[in-house]
Amino acid sequence: MPPKKDKEEPTAAARFGRVKNTLRMGVVGLPNVGKSSLFNLLTEQSAAAENFPFCTIEPNEARCEVPDERYQWLCDLWKPPSKYPAYLNVTDIAGLVKGASEGAGLGNAFLSHIQSVDGLYHCVRAFESDEVVHVEDSVDPVRDLETIQTELCKKDLAAVLKAIAQEERDVKRTQGTKLSPLFISTMDKVKTMLEKNQPVLMGTWSTPEVDMINEKLGPSVITTKPVTYLVNLNKSDFLRKKNKFLPAIHKWVQANGGGVMIPFSVEWEQERWNKSKEGPAALEAFMADSQGAKSMLPKIVTTGYESLQLIHFFTAGETEVRCWTVFQGALAPQAAGTIHSDFEHGFIKAETVSFEDFKTYSKGATMADVKAAGKYRIEGKTYVVQDGDILHFQFNVSKQPAKK
């Protein structure tokens, strides 16, 4: 009887775009759908949010705190002088209009801003108002969704045609070479999808195909980016949890690759934020009159963070509790490198416990009971860091590479 084969380690799924810890979400949509107002609420900034198209020209960039009850629990336990939550980087991008891929409304510049982010908050307006102008003079969320998707696909199609032409020129310059079958089949598949106004992310791709797209088209391909759909309602519809446009929007989203759809209301969120500035009593009274409604901003932030495949681990102690953001699938040395490059170069081991185990077994701000329960682990270089791990790294500075 032949020996049994060792069980293969699971391999990470292929992913489009950049694999790094500092990824960004971009807020996109038509003009006057609530993008800049949402950006201001998320980041507590004061970006221009006027009632006319293109009041935002240059992209506004900021970061917002990622809400995490585990982090708050650790802070309450340790009560350290220094506290650092996880953050999500967000960019407010000027509104696109029909024809943007051909330059309408400064479209080429705005599309280049979208290319530079890693995931999208697609904000769509689902309320009628005589006070807020619409670039198409009528409110039709599905039409607006189609407009944005069409412009993004056209921009990507132009990039694909350029990449194909470049590859053909490179092959002609090098005698005895030809286009690889994988390149031809992958680019044909991408081109066909984009010509049908289908985002690349909708396709079924093998790992070699994803690698080919990343290599030849790069992370700037817009329709490979994950999308979270944010449906901006008026206050009344948000409170009663009903809106005549929502069923059609949901149907469109499901027919175009799916994704998370979050109804929210800039109008209600702005009022809530204003009341919070007046004091706890004013906010409490406002929330009591809000028919059980809750702010959707935390869900918007966490959904964007997760769509970028970002996670965070904790370092916790008497002096500091801190979240450290890493990409999903990061190994222990890579996670250590987010603290300091010396930690990665001289990595020896990681001492770790999951947050849930720490919360279950600890009887205070100490690891003693966790260790007694056998939940405190020693992990090596191949350990894949999990979301919510509490980590302590051992490293040796002498192991860092010699300077040239």
Side-chain angles (χ1 to χ4, degrees), residues 4-15:
K4 292 183 179 180
K5 293 183 178 180
D6 293 335
K7 185 177 179 180
E8 293 184 0
E9 290 293 323
T11 56
R15 65 173 77 175

Side-chain angles (χ1 to χ4, degrees), residues 55-369:
C55 70
T56 301
I57 302 297
E58 293 301 318
N60 297 302
E61 298 183 3
R63 64 178 189 172
C64 51
E65 182 178 333
V66 178
D68 188 338
E69 293 180 355
R70 302 169 302 180
Y71 164 74
Q72 295 298 334
W73 190 90
L74 290 170
C75 289
D76 292 341
L77 176 67
W78 291 98
K79 297 179 174 57
S82 295
K83 304 172 185 178
Y84 293 90
Y87 288 99
L88 174 67
N89 298 306
V90 182
T91 302
D92 176 27
I93 299 169
L96 296 174
V97 294
K98 190 174 182 179
S101 57
E102 282 86 38
L106 301 178
N108 281 323
F110 297 165
L111 284 165
S112 69
H113 298 155
I114 298 176
Q115 287 178 318
S116 69
V117 300
D118 304 282
L120 304 178
Y121 286 130
H122 187 161
C123 190
V124 62
R125 172 177 168 178
F127 66 90
E128 296 168 326
S129 172
D130 294 334
E131 297 178 1
V132 182
V133 298
H134 193 290
V135 291
E136 298 289 349
D137 295 324
S138 64
V139 176
D140 184 345
V142 170
R143 176 202 60 205
D144 296 348
L145 289 164
E146 285 283 357
T147 296
I148 297 298
Q149 180 161 292
T150 297
E151 297 307 318
L152 301 185
C153 286
K154 285 182 177 179
K155 184 68 172 178
D156 279 355
L157 181 59
V160 170
L161 296 175
K162 183 178 179 180
I164 292 172
Q166 181 62 53
E167 193 76 4
E168 290 174 342
R169 285 194 296 270
D170 291 344
V171 166
K172 288 179 180 178
R173 291 194 195 104
T174 308
Q175 190 173 4
T177 62
K178 60 181 181 179
L179 295 175
S180 74
L182 178 61
F183 176 84
I184 294 172
S185 63
T186 302
M187 292 302 121
D188 283 349
K189 186 175 175 181
V190 172
K191 181 170 171 288
T192 299
M193 289 189 67
L194 294 173
E195 288 174 339
K196 294 179 179 179
N197 200 33
Q198 296 175 342
V200 177
L201 197 61
M202 282 181 63
T204 302
W205 305 97
S206 66
T207 297
E209 287 174 328
V210 171
D211 290 341
M212 179 62 70
I213 292 170
N214 285 337
E215 178 188 351
K216 299 301 181 181
L217 301 178
S220 62
V221 180
I222 300 171
T223 63
T224 61
K225 304 179 190 297
V227 183
T228 300
Y229 295 94
L230 307 180
V231 185
N232 188 11
L233 313 176
N234 60 29
K235 176 182 175 181
S236 174
D237 285 356
F238 178 69
L239 292 180
R240 69 191 187 99
K241 297 181 173 63
K242 290 184 180 180
N243 176 276
K244 65 181 181 180
F245 297 114
L246 284 177
I249 296 172
H250 181 264
K251 182 179 179 181
W252 185 92
V253 169
Q254 295 307 308
N256 287 269
V260 179
M261 187 181 94
I262 304 176
F264 78 110
S265 172
V266 163
E267 181 186 4
W268 184 86
E269 296 284 358
Q270 186 65 61
E271 288 187 23
R272 179 186 178 278
W273 190 83
N274 291 339
K275 292 297 181 182
S276 72
K277 294 301 178 183
E278 294 178 16
L283 178 60
E284 184 178 348
F286 175 78
M287 294 303 294
D289 196 38
S290 290
Q291 304 172 32
K294 295 181 180 180
S295 173
M296 300 307 294
L297 300 182
K299 183 176 181 180
I300 290 172
V301 173
T302 55
T303 301
Y305 190 77
E306 291 168 0
S307 76
L308 295 175
Q309 299 186 59
L310 296 175
I311 63 172
H312 52 265
F313 66 91
F314 303 105
T315 53
E318 294 178 355
T319 59
E320 180 180 275
V321 170
R322 185 163 186 159
C323 301
W324 300 89
T325 296
V326 295
F327 59 89
Q328 198 172 61
L331 300 179
Q334 294 170 317
T338 63
I339 300 175
H340 196 285
S341 58
D342 285 353
F343 283 35
E344 181 173 5
H345 299 318
F347 178 87
I348 297 173
K349 63 181 178 180
E351 300 173 9
T352 183
V353 59
S354 70
F355 170 82
E356 292 301 330
D357 282 344
F358 179 76
K359 184 178 180 180
T360 300
Y361 293 100
S362 68
K363 294 182 175 63
T366 174
M367 288 290 178
D369 296 306

